[in-house]
Amino acid sequence: MIKEGRTALSAQNDILAMALDQMQKTQGINPVSLTAWFDDATVVDFSGNVLTLHTPNDFKKDIITERFLIPLTTALRELMSSTDIEVTVTTGEMENAGGVSYGLTPDDGYTFEQFIVGNSNKFAHAAALSVAKNPAQYYNPLFIYGQSGLGKTHLLYAIAAVIRKNHPSYRIIYVKGEDFTNELVSAIQEGDVQNFRGKYRMADLLLIDDIQFIAGKERTQEEFFHTFNALYEAHKQIVLTSDRPPKEINTLEDRMKTRFEWGLLADIQPPDYETRMAITRAKAEKLGFDLPGDVVQVIAKTLHSNVRQIEGTIKKIQALHNLLGQEINTDLANRAIDEVRGSDEDLIPTPPKILQAVANYYSIPVEQIVGSRRSKDTVQPRQVAMYLVRELTNYSLPEIGKVFSRDHTTVLHSINKIEDERKNSAEMDAILKTLISNIQP
């Protein structure tokens, strides 16, 4: 299997050679393929039941990781008569060999040091830092929730950065809930579910962003349920984020809600004024310039609930100043704020955006909300959507009726019904507040 030039194999590489032969004999893998992808692969470490394989470039690393990692691990476990053997693949300089990360691009800006801590997020920050320093020891799973743009993804990346530094052999996987679903669908279509399962169930650290997107998807929840159990029982760290706590994720199976609550729930609220001031200054400093105090105040007072918009505004100010020579003052700040808000289509309250937000929350297609079906699982989302379009846009009742293919009297009835429920039901009030916070800038 291995080229003649590699006669001076260490004992570790003898193990690799035997594993490749085992893959050929017991799994029927083409020897030509094994030679093509493993001819210049080298075992750089085999300790603690983890074999670290080095390959010279990212392309080969990706192929080995995606196509051969599970067969290779299986072969090694057979040869060593151990179910604990695991494999990591590295590339680049040999002394920098470390673990494998899927779907996670390191970013120096997403560290704990760069995360601005305030009253609104200090608990989530402390929990994330504890998990990063002591994975799978105290808070497993860690479930971080809060509206978009408040730093949930930042904390996921920060956790990964610390664990990658302290545990270089760890296999780290980051994926968005929607991508997890799409990847499963592709695996089913290609008859490759076993590799899909193996990829996720061999993780040492699993980070899933926006886990709420698996709700209502029966097969996805079934797969994730077993993946969760496998990792939890193996004492591997799981960190999840969502726009709301587990109990408020409609159509999420009760058994999943229960497991999400096994560890620690940590919420992130919109930052207060002082924290927004600190965030604004820190973002500007990171970009290499100082903002006048009155400009910082305008940004902090105007942008209340989305850190991404604060950063976007600062970048806009910098661009207008550097490219057009405009003076940095409050007028320029207000212009930048308006342009960032106006260009951020995902945050403009329009009927399509509102419909999509409601559909995501209730885990049903938009087509069902605007369709003619009157089942129990579509009536409330439809009425909520009508209410929010009325509240957040300038659409008249007849115009709303056109959006939903209904007359204005039906729209009025729905709006009144949701208004009454909001007054008398804390649950409905919470649902509406969550949706509004997800829709508005």
Coordinates of all heavy atoms in Angstrom, one line a residue, residues 117-205:
V117 N -18.4 42.5 28.2 CA -19.3 41.9 29.2 C -20.0 43.0 29.9 O -19.4 44.0 30.3 CB -18.5 41.1 30.2 CG1 -19.4 40.5 31.3 CG2 -17.7 40.0 29.5
G118 N -21.3 42.8 30.0 CA -22.2 43.8 30.8 C -23.2 43.0 31.5 O -23.2 41.8 31.6
N119 N -24.1 43.7 32.2 CA -25.2 43.1 33.0 C -26.0 42.1 32.2 O -26.6 41.1 32.7 CB -26.0 44.1 33.7 CG -25.3 44.9 34.8 OD1 -24.4 44.3 35.4 ND2 -25.7 46.1 35.0
S120 N -26.2 42.5 30.9 CA -27.1 41.7 30.0 C -26.5 40.3 29.6 O -27.3 39.5 29.1 CB -27.4 42.5 28.8 OG -26.3 42.8 28.0
N121 N -25.2 40.2 29.7 CA -24.6 38.9 29.1 C -23.6 38.3 30.0 O -23.0 37.3 29.6 CB -24.0 39.2 27.8 CG -22.9 40.3 27.8 OD1 -22.3 40.5 28.9 ND2 -22.7 41.0 26.7
K122 N -23.4 38.8 31.2 CA -22.3 38.3 32.0 C -22.5 36.9 32.5 O -21.5 36.1 32.6 CB -22.0 39.3 33.2 CG -23.2 39.3 34.2 CD -22.8 40.3 35.4 CE -23.9 40.5 36.4 NZ -23.6 41.5 37.4
F123 N -23.7 36.5 32.7 CA -23.9 35.1 33.1 C -23.6 34.1 32.0 O -22.9 33.1 32.1 CB -25.4 34.9 33.5 CG -25.7 33.5 34.0 CD1 -25.2 33.0 35.2 CD2 -26.5 32.7 33.2 CE1 -25.5 31.7 35.6 CE2 -26.8 31.4 33.6 CZ -26.3 30.9 34.8
A124 N -24.1 34.5 30.8 CA -23.8 33.6 29.6 C -22.3 33.6 29.3 O -21.7 32.5 29.0 CB -24.5 34.1 28.4
H125 N -21.6 34.7 29.5 CA -20.1 34.8 29.3 C -19.4 33.9 30.3 O -18.5 33.1 29.9 CB -19.7 36.2 29.4 CG -18.2 36.4 29.4 ND1 -17.4 36.4 30.5 CD2 -17.3 36.6 28.4 CE1 -16.2 36.5 30.2 NE2 -16.1 36.7 28.9
A126 N -19.8 34.0 31.6 CA -19.2 33.2 32.6 C -19.4 31.7 32.4 O -18.5 30.9 32.5 CB -19.7 33.6 34.0
A127 N -20.6 31.3 31.9 CA -20.9 29.9 31.7 C -20.1 29.4 30.5 O -19.5 28.3 30.6 CB -22.4 29.8 31.4
A128 N -20.0 30.2 29.4 CA -19.2 29.8 28.3 C -17.7 29.7 28.6 O -17.1 28.7 28.2 CB -19.4 30.8 27.2
L129 N -17.2 30.6 29.4 CA -15.8 30.5 29.8 C -15.5 29.3 30.7 O -14.5 28.6 30.5 CB -15.4 31.8 30.6 CG -14.0 31.9 30.9 CD1 -13.1 31.9 29.7 CD2 -13.8 33.2 31.7
S130 N -16.5 28.9 31.5 CA -16.3 27.7 32.4 C -16.3 26.5 31.5 O -15.5 25.6 31.7 CB -17.5 27.7 33.4 OG -17.4 26.5 34.1
V131 N -17.2 26.4 30.5 CA -17.2 25.3 29.6 C -15.9 25.2 28.8 O -15.4 24.1 28.6 CB -18.4 25.4 28.7 CG1 -18.3 24.5 27.5 CG2 -19.7 25.0 29.4
A132 N -15.4 26.3 28.4 CA -14.2 26.3 27.6 C -13.0 25.8 28.4 O -12.2 25.1 27.9 CB -13.9 27.7 27.1
K133 N -13.0 26.2 29.6 CA -11.8 25.7 30.5 C -12.0 24.3 31.0 O -11.0 23.6 31.3 CB -11.7 26.7 31.7 CG -11.2 28.1 31.3 CD -11.1 29.0 32.5 CE -10.5 30.4 32.1 NZ -10.4 31.3 33.2
N134 N -13.2 23.9 31.2 CA -13.5 22.5 31.7 C -14.6 21.8 30.9 O -15.7 21.6 31.4 CB -14.0 22.7 33.2 CG -13.0 23.5 34.0 OD1 -12.0 22.9 34.4 ND2 -13.4 24.7 34.3
P135 N -14.3 21.5 29.7 CA -15.3 20.9 28.8 C -15.9 19.6 29.4 O -15.1 18.7 29.9 CB -14.5 20.6 27.5 CG -13.1 20.6 27.8 CD -13.0 21.6 29.0
A136 N -17.2 19.5 29.3 CA -18.0 18.3 29.7 C -17.8 18.0 31.2 O -18.2 16.9 31.6 CB -17.5 17.1 28.9
Q137 N -17.4 18.9 32.0 CA -17.3 18.6 33.5 C -18.4 19.2 34.3 O -18.8 18.5 35.2 CB -15.9 19.2 34.0 CG -14.7 18.5 33.4 CD -13.4 18.9 34.2 OE1 -13.5 19.3 35.3 NE2 -12.3 18.9 33.5
Y138 N -18.9 20.3 33.9 CA -19.9 20.9 34.8 C -21.3 21.2 34.0 O -22.3 20.8 34.5 CB -19.4 22.2 35.4 CG -18.2 22.1 36.2 CD1 -17.0 22.7 35.8 CD2 -18.2 21.3 37.4 CE1 -15.8 22.5 36.6 CE2 -17.0 21.1 38.1 CZ -15.9 21.7 37.7 OH -14.7 21.6 38.5
Y139 N -21.2 21.9 32.9 CA -22.4 22.4 32.3 C -22.5 21.7 30.9 O -22.0 22.2 29.9 CB -22.4 23.9 32.1 CG -22.1 24.6 33.4 CD1 -21.1 25.5 33.5 CD2 -22.9 24.4 34.5 CE1 -20.8 26.2 34.7 CE2 -22.7 25.0 35.7 CZ -21.6 25.9 35.8 OH -21.4 26.6 37.0
N140 N -23.2 20.6 30.9 CA -23.3 19.9 29.6 C -24.7 19.3 29.5 O -25.1 18.5 30.3 CB -22.3 18.7 29.5 CG -22.1 18.2 28.1 OD1 -22.4 18.9 27.2 ND2 -21.6 17.0 28.0
P141 N -25.5 19.8 28.5 CA -25.1 20.8 27.5 C -25.2 22.2 28.1 O -25.9 22.4 29.1 CB -26.2 20.6 26.4 CG -27.4 20.3 27.1 CD -26.9 19.3 28.3
L142 N -24.5 23.1 27.4 CA -24.7 24.6 27.7 C -25.6 25.1 26.6 O -25.4 24.9 25.4 CB -23.4 25.3 27.6 CG -23.5 26.9 27.7 CD1 -24.1 27.3 29.0 CD2 -22.1 27.5 27.6
F143 N -26.7 25.7 27.0 CA -27.8 26.2 26.1 C -27.8 27.7 26.2 O -28.3 28.2 27.2 CB -29.1 25.6 26.4 CG -30.2 25.8 25.3 CD1 -30.5 24.8 24.4 CD2 -30.8 27.0 25.2 CE1 -31.4 25.0 23.4 CE2 -31.8 27.2 24.3 CZ -32.1 26.2 23.4
I144 N -27.4 28.4 25.2 CA -27.3 29.9 25.2 C -28.4 30.4 24.3 O -28.5 30.0 23.2 CB -26.0 30.5 24.8 CG1 -24.8 29.9 25.6 CG2 -26.0 32.0 24.8 CD1 -23.5 30.2 25.0
Y145 N -29.3 31.3 24.9 CA -30.4 31.8 24.0 C -30.5 33.3 24.1 O -30.2 33.9 25.1 CB -31.7 31.1 24.4 CG -32.2 31.4 25.8 CD1 -33.2 32.4 26.0 CD2 -31.9 30.6 26.9 CE1 -33.7 32.7 27.3 CE2 -32.3 30.9 28.1 CZ -33.3 31.9 28.3 OH -33.7 32.2 29.6
G146 N -31.1 33.9 23.1 CA -31.3 35.3 23.0 C -31.5 35.7 21.6 O -31.2 34.9 20.6
Q147 N -32.0 36.9 21.3 CA -32.3 37.4 20.0 C -31.1 37.5 19.1 O -29.9 37.5 19.6 CB -33.1 38.6 20.0 CG -32.3 39.9 20.5 CD -33.2 41.1 20.7 OE1 -34.2 41.0 21.5 NE2 -32.9 42.2 20.1
S148 N -31.3 37.7 17.9 CA -30.2 37.8 16.9 C -29.3 39.0 17.2 O -29.8 40.1 17.5 CB -30.7 37.8 15.5 OG -29.7 38.0 14.5
G149 N -28.0 38.8 16.9 CA -27.1 39.9 17.0 C -26.5 40.3 18.3 O -26.0 41.4 18.5
L150 N -26.7 39.4 19.3 CA -26.2 39.8 20.7 C -25.0 39.1 21.1 O -24.5 39.3 22.2 CB -27.4 39.5 21.7 CG -28.6 40.3 21.5 CD1 -29.7 40.0 22.6 CD2 -28.3 41.8 21.5
G151 N -24.4 38.2 20.3 CA -23.1 37.6 20.6 C -23.2 36.1 20.9 O -22.2 35.6 21.4
K152 N -24.2 35.4 20.6 CA -24.3 34.0 20.8 C -23.2 33.2 20.0 O -22.5 32.4 20.5 CB -25.7 33.4 20.5 CG -26.8 34.0 21.3 CD -28.1 33.3 21.1 CE -28.6 33.3 19.6 NZ -28.9 34.7 19.1
T153 N -23.1 33.6 18.7 CA -22.1 32.9 17.9 C -20.7 33.3 18.3 O -19.8 32.5 18.3 CB -22.3 33.3 16.4 OG1 -23.7 32.9 16.0 CG2 -21.3 32.6 15.5
H154 N -20.5 34.5 18.8 CA -19.2 35.0 19.3 C -18.8 34.0 20.4 O -17.6 33.6 20.4 CB -19.4 36.4 19.8 CG -18.1 37.0 20.2 ND1 -17.7 38.3 20.0 CD2 -17.0 36.5 20.9 CE1 -16.5 38.6 20.5 NE2 -16.1 37.5 21.0
L155 N -19.7 33.7 21.3 CA -19.3 32.8 22.4 C -19.0 31.4 22.0 O -18.1 30.8 22.5 CB -20.5 32.8 23.5 CG -20.6 34.1 24.3 CD1 -21.8 34.0 25.2 CD2 -19.4 34.4 25.1
L156 N -19.7 30.9 21.0 CA -19.4 29.6 20.4 C -18.0 29.6 19.9 O -17.2 28.6 20.2 CB -20.4 29.2 19.3 CG -21.8 28.9 19.7 CD1 -22.6 28.4 18.4 CD2 -21.9 27.9 20.8
Y157 N -17.6 30.6 19.1 CA -16.3 30.6 18.6 C -15.2 30.8 19.7 O -14.1 30.3 19.6 CB -16.1 31.8 17.6 CG -16.6 31.4 16.2 CD1 -17.9 31.2 15.9 CD2 -15.7 31.3 15.1 CE1 -18.4 30.9 14.6 CE2 -16.1 30.9 13.9 CZ -17.4 30.7 13.6 OH -17.8 30.4 12.3
A158 N -15.5 31.6 20.7 CA -14.6 31.8 21.8 C -14.4 30.5 22.5 O -13.2 30.2 22.9 CB -15.2 32.8 22.7
I159 N -15.4 29.7 22.8 CA -15.3 28.4 23.4 C -14.3 27.5 22.6 O -13.4 26.9 23.1 CB -16.6 27.7 23.6 CG1 -17.5 28.5 24.6 CG2 -16.5 26.2 24.0 CD1 -18.9 28.0 24.7
A160 N -14.6 27.5 21.3 CA -13.8 26.6 20.4 C -12.3 27.1 20.4 O -11.4 26.2 20.4 CB -14.3 26.7 18.9
A161 N -12.1 28.4 20.4 CA -10.7 28.9 20.4 C -9.9 28.4 21.7 O -8.8 28.0 21.6 CB -10.7 30.4 20.3
V162 N -10.6 28.5 22.8 CA -9.9 28.0 24.1 C -9.6 26.5 24.1 O -8.6 26.0 24.4 CB -10.7 28.5 25.3 CG1 -10.1 27.8 26.6 CG2 -10.8 30.0 25.4
I163 N -10.7 25.8 23.7 CA -10.5 24.3 23.7 C -9.5 23.9 22.6 O -8.7 22.9 22.9 CB -11.9 23.7 23.4 CG1 -12.8 23.9 24.7 CG2 -11.8 22.2 23.1 CD1 -14.2 23.3 24.6
R164 N -9.5 24.5 21.5 CA -8.5 24.2 20.5 C -7.1 24.4 21.0 O -6.2 23.6 20.7 CB -8.7 25.0 19.2 CG -7.8 24.6 18.0 CD -7.9 25.5 16.9 NE -9.2 25.5 16.3 CZ -10.1 26.5 16.3 NH1 -9.8 27.6 17.0 NH2 -11.3 26.4 15.8
K165 N -6.9 25.5 21.8 CA -5.6 25.8 22.3 C -5.2 24.8 23.5 O -4.1 24.3 23.5 CB -5.6 27.2 22.9 CG -4.2 27.6 23.6 CD -4.3 29.0 24.1 CE -3.0 29.4 24.8 NZ -3.1 30.7 25.4
N166 N -6.2 24.5 24.3 CA -5.9 23.6 25.5 C -5.9 22.1 25.1 O -5.3 21.3 25.8 CB -6.9 23.9 26.6 CG -6.7 25.3 27.2 OD1 -5.7 25.9 27.0 ND2 -7.7 25.8 27.8
H167 N -6.7 21.8 24.1 CA -6.8 20.4 23.7 C -6.7 20.2 22.2 O -7.7 20.1 21.5 CB -8.2 19.8 24.1 CG -8.5 20.0 25.6 ND1 -8.1 19.1 26.6 CD2 -9.2 21.0 26.3 CE1 -8.5 19.5 27.8 NE2 -9.2 20.7 27.6
P168 N -5.5 20.4 21.7 CA -5.3 20.4 20.2 C -5.7 19.2 19.5 O -5.9 19.2 18.3 CB -3.7 20.6 20.1 CG -3.2 20.2 21.4 CD -4.2 20.5 22.4
S169 N -5.9 18.1 20.2 CA -6.3 16.9 19.5 C -7.8 16.7 19.4 O -8.3 15.8 18.7 CB -5.7 15.6 20.2 OG -6.3 15.4 21.4
Y170 N -8.6 17.6 20.0 CA -10.0 17.5 20.0 C -10.6 17.7 18.6 O -10.1 18.5 17.9 CB -10.6 18.6 20.9 CG -10.8 18.2 22.4 CD1 -9.9 17.3 23.0 CD2 -11.9 18.7 23.1 CE1 -10.1 16.9 24.3 CE2 -12.1 18.3 24.4 CZ -11.2 17.4 25.0 OH -11.4 17.0 26.3
R171 N -11.6 16.9 18.4 CA -12.3 17.1 17.1 C -13.5 18.0 17.4 O -14.4 17.7 18.2 CB -12.9 15.7 16.7 CG -13.5 15.7 15.3 CD -13.9 14.3 14.9 NE -12.8 13.5 14.6 CZ -12.3 12.6 15.5 NH1 -12.9 12.4 16.7 NH2 -11.2 11.8 15.2
I172 N -13.5 19.2 16.8 CA -14.5 20.2 17.0 C -15.4 20.4 15.8 O -14.9 20.5 14.7 CB -13.8 21.6 17.3 CG1 -12.9 21.5 18.5 CG2 -14.8 22.7 17.5 CD1 -12.0 22.7 18.8
I173 N -16.7 20.4 16.0 CA -17.6 20.5 14.9 C -18.6 21.7 15.3 O -19.2 21.7 16.3 CB -18.5 19.2 14.7 CG1 -17.6 18.1 14.3 CG2 -19.5 19.5 13.7 CD1 -18.3 16.8 14.1
Y174 N -18.6 22.6 14.3 CA -19.6 23.7 14.4 C -20.5 23.6 13.2 O -20.1 23.5 12.1 CB -18.9 25.1 14.4 CG -19.8 26.3 14.1 CD1 -20.4 26.9 15.2 CD2 -20.1 26.7 12.8 CE1 -21.2 28.0 15.0 CE2 -20.9 27.8 12.6 CZ -21.5 28.4 13.7 OH -22.4 29.4 13.5
V175 N -21.8 23.8 13.5 CA -22.8 23.7 12.4 C -24.0 24.5 12.8 O -24.4 24.6 14.0 CB -23.2 22.2 12.1 CG1 -23.9 21.6 13.2 CG2 -24.0 22.1 10.8
K176 N -24.7 25.1 11.8 CA -26.0 25.7 12.1 C -27.1 24.7 12.0 O -27.0 23.7 11.3 CB -26.2 26.8 11.1 CG -25.3 28.0 11.2 CD -25.7 29.1 10.2 CE -24.8 30.3 10.4 NZ -25.0 31.0 11.7
G177 N -28.1 24.9 12.8 CA -29.2 23.9 12.9 C -29.8 23.6 11.5 O -30.1 22.5 11.2
E178 N -30.0 24.7 10.7 CA -30.5 24.5 9.4 C -29.6 23.7 8.5 O -30.0 22.8 7.7 CB -30.8 25.8 8.7 CG -31.6 25.8 7.4 CD -32.0 27.1 6.9 OE1 -31.5 28.2 7.5 OE2 -32.9 27.2 6.1
D179 N -28.3 23.9 8.6 CA -27.3 23.1 7.8 C -27.2 21.7 8.3 O -27.0 20.8 7.4 CB -25.9 23.8 7.9 CG -25.9 25.1 7.2 OD1 -26.7 25.4 6.4 OD2 -25.0 26.0 7.6
F180 N -27.4 21.4 9.6 CA -27.5 20.1 10.1 C -28.6 19.3 9.4 O -28.4 18.2 8.9 CB -27.7 20.1 11.6 CG -27.7 18.7 12.2 CD1 -26.5 18.1 12.6 CD2 -28.9 18.0 12.4 CE1 -26.6 16.8 13.2 CE2 -28.9 16.8 13.0 CZ -27.8 16.2 13.4
T181 N -29.7 20.0 9.3 CA -30.9 19.3 8.6 C -30.6 19.1 7.1 O -30.8 18.0 6.6 CB -32.1 20.3 8.7 OG1 -32.4 20.4 10.1 CG2 -33.3 19.7 8.0
N182 N -30.0 20.1 6.4 CA -29.7 19.9 5.0 C -28.7 18.8 4.8 O -28.8 18.1 3.8 CB -29.2 21.3 4.4 CG -30.3 22.3 4.4 OD1 -31.5 22.0 4.4 ND2 -29.9 23.6 4.4
E183 N -27.7 18.8 5.7 CA -26.7 17.7 5.5 C -27.3 16.3 5.7 O -26.9 15.4 5.0 CB -25.6 18.0 6.5 CG -24.4 17.1 6.3 CD -23.2 17.5 7.3 OE1 -23.3 18.6 7.8 OE2 -22.4 16.6 7.5
L184 N -28.2 16.2 6.6 CA -28.9 14.9 6.8 C -29.7 14.5 5.6 O -29.7 13.4 5.1 CB -29.8 15.0 8.1 CG -30.7 13.8 8.3 CD1 -29.9 12.5 8.4 CD2 -31.6 14.0 9.5
V185 N -30.4 15.5 5.0 CA -31.2 15.2 3.8 C -30.3 14.7 2.7 O -30.7 13.8 2.0 CB -32.0 16.5 3.4 CG1 -32.6 16.3 2.0 CG2 -33.1 16.9 4.4
S186 N -29.2 15.4 2.5 CA -28.3 14.9 1.5 C -27.7 13.6 1.7 O -27.6 12.7 0.8 CB -27.1 15.9 1.4 OG -27.5 17.2 1.0
A187 N -27.4 13.3 3.0 CA -26.9 11.9 3.4 C -28.0 10.9 3.1 O -27.6 9.8 2.6 CB -26.5 11.9 4.9
I188 N -29.2 11.2 3.4 CA -30.3 10.2 3.1 C -30.4 10.0 1.6 O -30.6 8.8 1.1 CB -31.7 10.7 3.7 CG1 -31.6 10.7 5.2 CG2 -32.8 9.8 3.2 CD1 -32.8 11.4 5.9
Q189 N -30.4 11.0 0.8 CA -30.5 10.9 -0.6 C -29.4 10.1 -1.2 O -29.6 9.4 -2.2 CB -30.6 12.3 -1.2 CG -31.9 13.1 -0.9 CD -31.9 14.5 -1.4 OE1 -30.8 15.1 -1.7 NE2 -33.0 15.1 -1.5
E190 N -28.2 10.3 -0.6 CA -27.0 9.6 -1.2 C -26.8 8.2 -0.5 O -25.8 7.6 -0.8 CB -25.8 10.5 -1.0 CG -25.9 11.8 -1.8 CD -24.8 12.8 -1.4 OE1 -23.9 12.4 -0.6 OE2 -24.8 13.9 -1.9
G191 N -27.6 7.8 0.4 CA -27.4 6.6 1.1 C -26.2 6.6 2.0 O -25.5 5.5 2.1
D192 N -25.9 7.7 2.6 CA -24.6 7.8 3.3 C -24.9 8.3 4.7 O -24.1 9.0 5.3 CB -23.7 8.8 2.6 CG -22.3 8.7 3.0 OD1 -21.9 7.6 3.5 OD2 -21.6 9.7 2.9
V193 N -26.0 7.8 5.3 CA -26.4 8.2 6.7 C -25.3 7.8 7.7 O -25.1 8.5 8.7 CB -27.8 7.7 7.0 CG1 -28.1 8.1 8.5 CG2 -28.8 8.3 6.1
Q194 N -24.7 6.6 7.5 CA -23.8 6.1 8.5 C -22.6 7.0 8.6 O -22.1 7.3 9.8 CB -23.3 4.7 8.0 CG -22.6 3.9 9.1 CD -23.6 3.7 10.3 OE1 -24.8 3.4 10.2 NE2 -23.0 3.8 11.5
N195 N -22.1 7.5 7.5 CA -21.0 8.5 7.6 C -21.4 9.8 8.3 O -20.6 10.4 9.1 CB -20.4 8.8 6.3 CG -19.4 7.7 5.8 OD1 -18.8 7.0 6.7 ND2 -19.2 7.6 4.5
F196 N -22.6 10.2 8.0 CA -23.2 11.4 8.7 C -23.2 11.2 10.2 O -22.8 12.1 11.0 CB -24.6 11.7 8.1 CG -25.4 12.7 8.9 CD1 -25.2 14.1 8.5 CD2 -26.2 12.4 9.9 CE1 -26.0 15.0 9.2 CE2 -26.9 13.3 10.6 CZ -26.8 14.7 10.3
R197 N -23.7 10.0 10.6 CA -23.8 9.8 12.0 C -22.4 9.7 12.6 O -22.1 10.3 13.7 CB -24.5 8.4 12.3 CG -26.0 8.5 12.0 CD -26.6 7.1 12.0 NE -28.0 7.1 11.7 CZ -28.7 6.1 11.4 NH1 -28.1 4.9 11.3 NH2 -30.0 6.2 11.2
G198 N -21.5 9.0 11.9 CA -20.1 8.9 12.5 C -19.4 10.2 12.7 O -18.7 10.5 13.6
K199 N -19.6 11.1 11.7 CA -19.0 12.5 11.8 C -19.4 13.2 13.1 O -18.5 13.7 13.8 CB -19.4 13.3 10.6 CG -19.0 14.8 10.7 CD -19.5 15.5 9.5 CE -19.3 17.0 9.6 NZ -19.8 17.8 8.5
Y200 N -20.7 13.2 13.4 CA -21.1 14.0 14.5 C -20.9 13.2 15.8 O -20.7 13.9 16.9 CB -22.6 14.4 14.3 CG -22.7 15.5 13.3 CD1 -23.1 15.2 12.0 CD2 -22.5 16.8 13.7 CE1 -23.2 16.3 11.1 CE2 -22.6 17.8 12.7 CZ -22.9 17.6 11.5 OH -23.0 18.6 10.5
R201 N -21.0 11.9 15.8 CA -20.9 11.2 17.1 C -19.5 10.9 17.5 O -19.3 10.4 18.6 CB -21.7 9.9 16.9 CG -23.2 10.1 16.7 CD -24.0 8.8 16.6 NE -25.3 9.2 16.0 CZ -26.3 8.3 15.8 NH1 -26.1 7.0 16.1 NH2 -27.4 8.7 15.3
M202 N -18.5 11.3 16.7 CA -17.1 11.2 17.0 C -16.6 12.6 17.5 O -15.4 12.7 17.7 CB -16.3 10.7 15.9 CG -16.6 9.2 15.6 SD -15.8 8.6 14.1 CE -14.1 8.7 14.6
A203 N -17.4 13.6 17.6 CA -17.0 14.9 18.0 C -16.6 14.9 19.5 O -17.2 14.2 20.3 CB -18.1 15.9 17.8
D204 N -15.6 15.7 19.8 CA -15.2 16.0 21.2 C -16.0 17.3 21.7 O -16.2 17.4 22.9 CB -13.7 16.2 21.4 CG -13.0 14.9 21.0 OD1 -13.1 13.9 21.8 OD2 -12.3 14.9 20.0
L205 N -16.2 18.2 20.8 CA -16.9 19.4 21.1 C -17.9 19.6 19.9 O -17.5 19.8 18.8 CB -16.0 20.6 21.2 CG -16.6 22.0 21.3 CD1 -17.5 22.1 22.6 CD2 -15.6 23.1 21.2

